[in-house]
Amino acid sequence: MAGDRIAASLAANPHSDRGDKKRVVTLGNVRLRDQDTNEIILIPTPSSDPNDPLNWPQWYKYYMATVICLAMMICNFLAAGPSIAMVNITMEFFVGAHPGRNPKLFHEAVAKVAYFFTTCALMQGIGNFFWVPVANKWGRRPTYVFSYLIYFASAVWLCFERSYGGFLAGRVIMGFGAGAAETIAPITIADIFFLHERGTVMALYSSFLAVGVAIGLIISGVITIDHHWRVIFQVASALVGLVLLIAFFAFPETAYIRETPSNSDDSSSTGTPNQRSSTEKNPTATISDPESRRVGSSPLPKKASYLSTLKIFHGTITHESFFKLTVRPLGLICLPPVLWAALVEAATIGFLVAMTSNVEIAYEATYRFKSWQVGVCFVSALVGSLAGIPLGGWWGDKVADYFTKRNNGIRDPEMRLPAMIPAMITAPLGLVIFGVGIEKSLHWMVPNLGIALLNFAIVQGTNVALVYVIDAYRPVAGEITLAVMGFKSLFGFLLSFYTNTWVQQAGYLNAYGTMAAISAAVLVCWVPLYFWGKTIRHVTWGWPVIGYIHWSEDREVGE
């Protein structure tokens, strides 16, 4: 859509007479193209404030996206990377446990060492029930800085910790700090980019979610060739410290309180759950002054100085209580579209977590690979992830735009869902190929192909699903992402905890065949959502149990 023209007259007009009309909560149904000219309408409507992130230069927006993706990648670097040295870690913490000399003790010890990775993954999800409310209440910048500070401190600690209990405690704390970047990244992206731009940027986000795991495994494997496995934590500490410095000195606050323009007659004529009146609000409101949304106007502020952007806290974004911000994700997961998106994450990323928790043991037993050789095999994950970026972002945007044009310029979130077809095919296929390759001792490139296909599906499919629900419930994008990622983390924790036992009892073919069937059953559900998702969204929004999680007026973002 880079060649499409922007409807300038509709792009930024905070004093439009639309403000006198009733505004309707459309749950993602918006006019994205002008009815007469077919030009793209900028959603949200940018203000004339130079500090509005929507007005930042395009190059700076993509710089911010790069930092977000870097933070995303590093947050997963230590989550799974050291698992490539599972055998060596086990033998260090449990003297006498050796896969050849004492296999029974070794398998018992492996189960205990697996807690280093499963508990970290679990805390990455649970910790966000604290971090996301902080980001929604006080801003993205303090969340990035303080979470990465905890991540950095725990990484340095684990370079020296020798006891099992202390190391496990360090991994738990690490998970608490590392998970924030994963969940607040979509909120930050939505702060900076317009609706029609987000698909591609979100695809980059999804790719770095998978790339972080792959890069962690590859680099960790290479490190173990000539160095002790603890060097993995030393290298990671330096990388985490670098991101922390960038976050502090070169990552400004992106949350911005803007007016919420009323929807056009066309976009608001769709079925809606409730209505709110819209008053003229100050389009130049800053994060530190939520009351400035009231009726009135003020002079345009000057562009903020660099030193002022270094402040950690810039005020309160919303008047919603911290408790409500914390419990809202528990209610959102009851909404069918959100539950489906969470299941998509679980049936792709969750199964990748299960795969990585078992991959070294599988390759060592089948191909006699050393740790670094197993790590290099995850180059296939990088290839699959990179291939998924255009089909998850550009292709998803094209599909949604095609159906938008056919709908007289009105965008429904469900219009993106047909882009799920590639992931619906490749995720189950990748899991089957991996299971068959290991079970039948086929050439090592066969399971590698399975890893590539699964990572392709993660980037392509999860991006489409996540952008879909964020578009549908944009004012609570943070809580939406938390509900989805939290569910995924819990599922991944449970699955990785039982994967080794499951594979030993059922075999790779049956275990991964079952995963493939589950994945296919979940991903194909885009079809009923495409046809009936709009009705489902509006009907379920009126459920009494959902009433408490409805957002306040000051959470509106003009979409």
Side-chain angles (χ1 to χ4, degrees), residues 161-499:
E161 181 58 56
R162 301 290 173 178
S163 69
Y164 175 84
F167 201 89
L168 181 61
R171 290 290 289 179
V172 169
I173 295 173
M174 174 179 286
F176 175 75
E182 174 181 332
T183 307
I184 66 172
I187 322 174
T188 313
I189 290 170
D191 288 339
I192 301 172
F193 291 92
F194 294 105
L195 177 62
H196 69 281
E197 299 175 319
R198 291 179 199 154
T200 300
V201 183
M202 283 295 293
L204 292 172
Y205 157 80
S206 298
S207 70
F208 275 81
L209 174 65
V211 165
V213 175
I215 288 290
L217 291 168
I218 293 170
I219 295 179
S220 297
V222 172
I223 288 173
T224 60
I225 298 177
D226 296 315
H227 300 88
H228 193 275
W229 62 265
R230 288 185 184 274
V231 176
I232 297 172
F233 286 86
Q234 296 170 9
V235 172
S237 296
L239 295 175
V240 174
L242 174 63
V243 174
L244 177 59
L245 289 175
I246 294 174
F248 184 82
F249 289 106
F251 195 90
E253 180 59 65
T254 62
Y256 181 86
I257 297 175
R258 65 184 68 256
E259 76 164 309
T260 55
S262 60
N263 295 54
S264 66
D265 292 341
D266 293 297
S267 64
S268 62
S269 61
T270 57
T272 58
N274 57 65
Q275 294 184 334
R276 299 178 188 159
S277 61
S278 176
T279 59
E280 185 70 26
K281 302 178 182 69
N282 172 21
T284 63
T286 61
I287 187 175
S288 60
D289 186 17
E291 295 300 328
S292 61
R293 296 173 180 234
R294 295 177 178 175
V295 177
S297 60
S298 60
L300 289 178
K302 297 180 180 179
K303 185 173 178 60
S305 66
Y306 170 71
L307 290 178
S308 68
T309 65
L310 293 181
K311 289 196 305 182
I312 300 297
F313 292 96
H314 291 255
T316 301
I317 301 174
T318 177
H319 294 301
E320 289 188 318
S321 69
F322 192 83
F323 175 76
K324 186 172 184 177
L325 294 172
T326 302
V327 301
R328 179 177 281 131
L330 302 178
L332 288 172
I333 200 68
C334 299
L335 297 172
V338 180
L339 178 60
W340 173 73
L343 289 172
V344 169
E345 297 271 346
T348 51
I349 299 176
F351 289 145
L352 177 64
V353 172
M355 184 183 291
T356 56
S357 68
N358 177 259
V359 67
E360 189 195 14
I361 296 173
Y363 275 74
E364 195 279 332
T366 306
Y367 307 111
R368 298 293 183 262
F369 276 12
K370 297 179 180 178
S371 295
W372 69 269
Q373 292 173 304
V374 179
V376 171
C377 286
F378 273 81
V379 170
S380 63
L382 292 179
V383 174
S385 298
L386 294 176
I389 292 175
L391 286 178
W394 176 85
W395 168 248
D397 285 341
K398 282 294 184 183
V399 169
D401 195 50
Y402 170 76
F403 288 106
T404 300
K405 291 178 180 178
R406 292 185 59 183
N407 197 36
N408 296 319
I410 303 296
R411 166 69 62 84
D412 292 333
E414 286 76 18
M415 292 176 179
R416 187 178 297 272
L417 290 179
M420 286 292 299
I421 293 175
M424 182 181 67
I425 297 171
T426 54
L429 183 61
L431 289 164
V432 168
I433 289 176
F434 182 85
V436 170
I438 299 296
E439 179 83 11
K440 302 299 182 181
S441 298
L442 302 179
H443 193 278
W444 57 266
M445 290 185 67
V446 174
N448 281 11
L449 176 61
I451 293 173
L453 291 173
L454 181 58
N455 278 269
F456 169 87
I458 288 173
V459 173
Q460 199 274 328
T462 61
N463 181 69
V464 173
L466 188 57
V467 173
Y468 161 57
V469 289
I470 287 177
D471 285 350
Y473 307 99
R474 168 63 183 97
V476 288
E479 292 94 321
I480 287 288
T481 309
L482 173 55
V484 171
M485 295 298 186
F487 185 91
K488 177 264 297 181
S489 295
L490 179 60
F491 183 83
F493 167 75
L494 295 174
L495 196 60
S496 60
F497 185 74
Y498 291 108
T499 296

